[in-house]
């Protein structure tokens, strides 16, 4: 994974680039996830140190809701470990060259660059996305393709992780990506604690669809919540899609449709994701026996555990333990 050594220094320095017309919501997401102290975690230092920067002394936000003043200048980008670029609605209007050059320079020296919503347009203008996978808000997908044909756009996912460059889709997906970054930097336990404080789902995989149909159910018991809670309490059991369908008193085909409509994923993908998350929590809490972690998480074998954890986190279980386990924190390589 990129930026291992810088990410272990606390606090990790995050700079949010606020350009003319930026959406306040994405700026709020960045400051809420990365900027607030977390005394409930019992850590001696902040996880992140957040700085807002602007290209001019006063920046008018989207629709003139307010004008941001008193922020740092673009020179703040030079010291950032992570640069966050929120979106704005006027995406056909080019960004200022000073903003684009600050983003380019940060990426060139090794900083991680993260876009929220249509902030991906700025990353594409800066040349960071050519030949790489990225996403943006689905409403702007066609415009993005026209303006940036060299980018491998994935318009129907929540976020894309390309290692040193990450892009989120619509505004709410910025929360998903923000929590994903916290989990990548500090592990599942801390990410879950931040999610609880936000009253937000702790983990939605980046490959889930942006637009999820959520029709009003005809009867109250169509919600999957009871089934999900039941399954989460039995991850070490031999759960199958057929078994989940039987538990919910519906056919496997109907269960698939419900998962797609309500969660934007498949039952098997959801179950695997929950098991991997539980395995990561067990490792963080100090369990060193991979066969035990595999059994208790329902992943079956140590070999499957290794493959799934690496796929989800970019780290082997032993590297994950060194980084996030008791007494961990040193830089590791996958």
């Amino acid at each position: 994974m990129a930026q291992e050594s810088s990410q272990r220094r606390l606090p990790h320095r995050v700079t949010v680039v606020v350009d003319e017309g930026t959406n306040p919501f994405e700026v709020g997401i960045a400051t809420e996830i990365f900027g607030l102290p977390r005394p409930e975690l019992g850590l001696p230092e902040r996880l992140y140190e957040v700085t807002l920067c602007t290209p001019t002394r006063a920046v008018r936000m989207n629709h003139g809701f307010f004008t941001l003043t008193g922020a740092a200048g673009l020179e703040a980008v030079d010291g950032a470990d992570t640069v966050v670029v929120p979106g704005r609605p006027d995406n056909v209007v080019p960004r200022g060259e000073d903003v684009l050059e600050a983003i380019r320079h940060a990426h060139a020296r090794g900083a991680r660059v993260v876009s929220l919503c249509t902030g991906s347009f700025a990353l594409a203008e800066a040349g960071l996305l050519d030949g790489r996978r990225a996403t943006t808000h689905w409403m702007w997908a066609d415009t993005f393709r026209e303006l940036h044909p060299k980018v491998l756009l994935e318009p129907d996912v929540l976020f894309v992780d390309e290692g040193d460059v990450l892009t989120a889709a619509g505004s709410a997906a910025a929360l998903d990506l923000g929590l994903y970054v916290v989990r990548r930097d500090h592990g599942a336990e801390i990410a879950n604690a931040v999610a609880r404080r936000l009253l937000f789902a702790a983990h939605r995989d980046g490959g889930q669809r942006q637009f999820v149909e959520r029709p009003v159910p005809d009867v109250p018991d169509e919600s999957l919540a009871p089934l999900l809670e039941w399954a989460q309490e039995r991850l070490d059991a031999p759960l199958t899609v057929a078994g989940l369908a039987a538990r919910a008193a519906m056919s496997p085909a109907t269960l698939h449709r419900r998962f797609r409509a309500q969660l934007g994923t498949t039952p098997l993908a959801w179950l695997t994701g929950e098991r991997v998350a539980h395995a990561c929590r067990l490792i963080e809490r100090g369990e060193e026996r991979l066969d035990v972690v595999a059994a208790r998480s329902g992943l079956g074998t140590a070999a499957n555990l290794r493959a799934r954890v690496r796929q989800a986190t970019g780290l082997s279980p032993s590297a994950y333990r060194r980084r996030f386990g008791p007494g961990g924190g040193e830089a590791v390589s996958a």
Side-chain angles (χ1 to χ4, degrees):
M1 292 172 61
Q3 314 305 317
E4 295 291 352
S5 59
S6 67
Q7 288 176 15
R8 297 318 307 153
R9 180 177 60 248
L10 290 177
H12 181 99
R13 296 168 298 183
V14 175
T15 297
V16 183
V17 180
V18 185
D19 200 1
E20 190 75 16
T22 293
N23 290 323
F25 183 68
E26 282 96 52
V27 177
I29 287 174
T31 55
E32 177 75 22
I33 290 181
F34 301 116
L36 295 186
R38 305 290 177 187
E40 67 273 16
L41 299 178
L43 298 177
E45 301 179 75
R46 287 175 179 258
L47 299 177
Y48 302 94
E49 178 183 281
V50 173
T51 301
L52 302 184
C53 75
T54 56
T56 58
R57 296 181 63 182
V59 166
R60 184 173 180 267
M61 305 297 285
N62 182 23
H63 291 304
F65 289 131
F66 59 88
T67 297
L68 178 63
T69 61
L74 288 176
E75 66 275 3
V77 174
D78 293 339
D81 299 309
T82 294
V83 176
V84 177
V85 183
R88 68 180 196 183
D90 52 346
N91 296 296
V92 296
V93 178
R95 269 65 173 177
E97 186 56 32
D98 53 350
V99 171
L100 299 180
E101 184 55 33
I103 296 172
R104 291 190 196 103
H105 183 263
H107 179 256
R109 65 172 174 76
R112 178 173 59 189
V113 182
V114 177
S115 71
L116 306 180
C117 195
T118 56
S120 52
F121 279 79
L123 272 56
E125 289 177 50
L128 271 58
L129 300 179
D130 286 354
R132 308 183 77 172
R133 297 164 51 248
T135 192
T136 194
H137 194 291
W138 62 270
M139 289 182 63
W140 287 93
D142 291 340
T143 301
F144 189 98
R145 285 195 185 97
E146 292 174 6
L147 294 175
H148 307 292
K150 294 181 180 180
V151 181
L152 307 179
L153 185 67
E154 297 188 4
D156 198 30
V157 299
L158 295 178
F159 59 84
V160 172
D161 177 3
E162 283 284 278
D164 56 341
V165 177
L166 299 89
T167 53
S171 297
L175 280 166
D176 292 297
L177 179 54
L179 289 170
Y180 171 81
V181 168
V182 174
R183 186 167 63 254
R184 199 176 95 165
D185 290 348
H186 302 288
E189 290 282 9
I190 288 179
N192 288 346
V194 175
R196 283 195 298 272
R197 181 158 169 178
L198 290 169
L199 301 180
F200 192 74
H203 175 65
R204 289 199 299 170
D205 186 78
Q208 291 187 32
R209 291 185 301 157
Q210 287 187 35
F211 182 73
V212 180
E213 297 179 1
R214 297 179 185 272
V216 177
D218 295 328
V219 292
D221 63 358
E222 283 197 345
S223 169
L224 289 172
L227 177 65
L228 301 184
E229 183 177 355
W230 179 86
Q232 286 168 332
E233 294 175 352
R234 296 164 175 81
L235 293 174
D236 59 341
L239 300 177
T240 63
V241 173
L244 292 175
R247 173 72 187 183
M250 62 181 72
S251 70
T254 298
L255 184 69
H256 271 274
R257 287 196 297 271
R258 296 277 175 82
F259 264 78
R260 283 293 187 188
Q262 296 185 32
L263 300 179
T265 190
T266 66
L268 183 58
W270 175 85
L271 184 58
T272 300
E274 290 297 311
R275 283 173 162 160
V276 171
H278 185 48
C280 289
R281 289 193 293 271
L282 292 173
I283 293 172
E284 291 175 29
R285 293 169 184 171
E287 180 55 67
E288 297 185 359
R289 298 164 295 176
L290 295 188
D291 57 339
V292 173
V293 174
R296 290 177 60 186
S297 64
L299 291 174
T301 66
N304 189 42
L305 170 69
R306 291 188 186 93
R308 295 295 185 178
V309 170
R310 182 179 289 278
Q311 181 183 37
T313 69
L315 299 171
S316 66
S318 59
Y320 190 91
R321 181 187 306 113
R322 290 196 299 272
R323 183 170 174 186
F324 298 121
E330 71 272 23
V332 298
S333 61

